Amino acid sequence: MSDFKTIARILGAIRSCEGRPFDVAAVSPEAMGVSEEQRDVLACKLQRAGKVDGLITTEDIDGAPLRVLWAQSSPEVTLDGLEYMATCEPLRSAAREVVGASVSAAVSATAAALGSML
């Protein structure tokens, strides 16, 4: 999966949880479709770039691998992140692909469930 698709998923997951307790399952490696390491590296890059805020990381701990402590974090998309989501064409293109794949998967799952009822 491209980094932009993963970034789109991370930003979408964070945005969907704003205003309520963060759902760690929304950013699980399974939900993201990437390894924990890749997810956390990209999330840290987003925070360093000012696109998200509120991530608790191991970034400043000597010798610790880079990790986001999602359960202890209260992430939110910043105003700069919202602008980035609205204007970055590679990100918007990746988001369209992610949405299209999600719709296809949902339709397939629904059809399979209906088929098992017949």
Side-chain angles (χ1 to χ4, degrees):
M1 177 182 300
S2 78
D3 285 350
F4 279 111
K5 285 183 185 177
T6 304
I7 289 169
R9 287 177 188 251
I10 292 168
L11 290 170
I14 292 171
R15 186 86 171 110
S16 72
C17 294
E18 286 183 349
R20 56 191 170 90
F22 186 70
D23 179 9
V24 177
V27 291
S28 70
E30 296 79 21
M32 295 287 110
V34 296
S35 69
E36 180 179 347
E37 294 80 13
Q38 185 178 8
R39 174 204 60 194
D40 288 356
V41 164
L42 291 172
C44 287
K45 285 181 180 182
L46 286 168
Q47 181 156 280
R48 276 188 241 117
K51 309 304 184 207
V52 299
D53 195 19
L55 296 178
I56 306 296
T57 70
T58 60
E59 193 165 22
D60 295 326
I61 300 173
D62 290 338
L66 181 61
R67 293 286 182 267
V68 175
L69 306 175
W70 292 99
Q72 290 77 32
S73 296
S74 297
E76 58 184 25
V77 178
T78 64
L79 290 175
D80 191 39
L82 291 173
E83 183 178 348
Y84 177 65
M85 292 170 72
T87 61
C88 178
E89 190 49 43
L91 180 65
R92 292 172 52 82
S93 176
R96 283 190 291 274
E97 287 182 41
V98 168
V99 168
S102 297
V103 169
S104 295
V107 169
S108 295
T110 302
L114 291 172
S116 69
M117 292 171 47
L118 301 175

